[in-house]
Amino acid sequence: MESADSDPKALGLYMAKSLNKYGIQYCHVVEPRMKTVGDKIESPDSLLPMREAFKGTFIAGGGFDREDGNKAVAEGHADLIVYGRWFLANPDLPKRFELNAPLNKYNRDTFYISDPVVGYTDYPFLETTA
């Protein structure tokens, strides 16, 4: 929340290398998408030095969709991709990805609220014919 570093790439690389000394099994990072391309913001290589430095499982998040998540793994930029917001809005996200089905749009206004019904539990499942 408004935190910054004078050299975030160097800091990230130092942190990734340092984790190796402790036998840490995974490193979970968020891709800072900086450059606007069409309606997406991306910087696909910003985590690559950290990924190459860290010896364990490298997990990345940060606005990936099905296509760029698969691409990031296929190109070795990450071992796993997380889809936090997309999972909130699509409780059946793996099935939707498998079928290349449309996704429910998420509603940021319902994130982190205390209502037990609105937000985390009210998104519809994909309707498929059996």
Side-chain angles (χ1 to χ4, degrees):
M1 304 312 286
E2 299 182 26
S3 63
D5 186 81
S6 61
D7 193 351
K9 287 184 179 181
L11 176 62
L13 184 57
Y14 172 81
M15 297 289 289
K17 286 179 181 177
S18 296
L19 292 174
N20 293 323
K21 294 186 275 189
Y22 302 103
I24 301 294
Q25 296 298 303
Y26 71 91
C27 179
H28 179 176
V29 297
V30 175
E31 176 74 58
R33 309 262 171 142
M34 302 294 189
K35 183 177 82 177
T36 302
V37 179
D39 62 343
K40 295 181 84 171
I41 299 173
E42 56 186 311
S43 58
D45 297 326
S46 68
L47 296 179
L48 195 53
M50 288 175 62
R51 197 282 174 258
E52 291 171 345
F54 184 69
K55 302 304 178 204
T57 300
F58 196 77
I59 305 169
F64 288 92
D65 60 20
R66 178 181 179 266
E67 182 181 321
D68 41 275
N70 284 337
K71 182 178 177 185
V73 171
E75 293 179 354
H77 291 230
D79 296 304
L80 299 167
I81 301 296
V82 296
Y83 299 96
R85 292 172 291 210
W86 291 120
F87 253 119
L88 286 175
N90 298 275
D92 52 359
L93 187 64
K95 180 56 102 179
R96 289 174 188 257
F97 277 5
E98 178 185 344
L99 299 173
N100 202 20
L103 302 178
N104 296 324
K105 293 183 179 174
Y106 52 82
N107 180 357
R108 286 182 187 272
D109 293 338
T110 64
F111 291 177
Y112 311 112
I113 62 173
S114 60
D115 190 308
V117 177
V118 176
Y120 292 114
T121 61
D122 64 340
Y123 289 101
F125 283 82
L126 182 64
E127 293 185 27
T128 59
T129 55

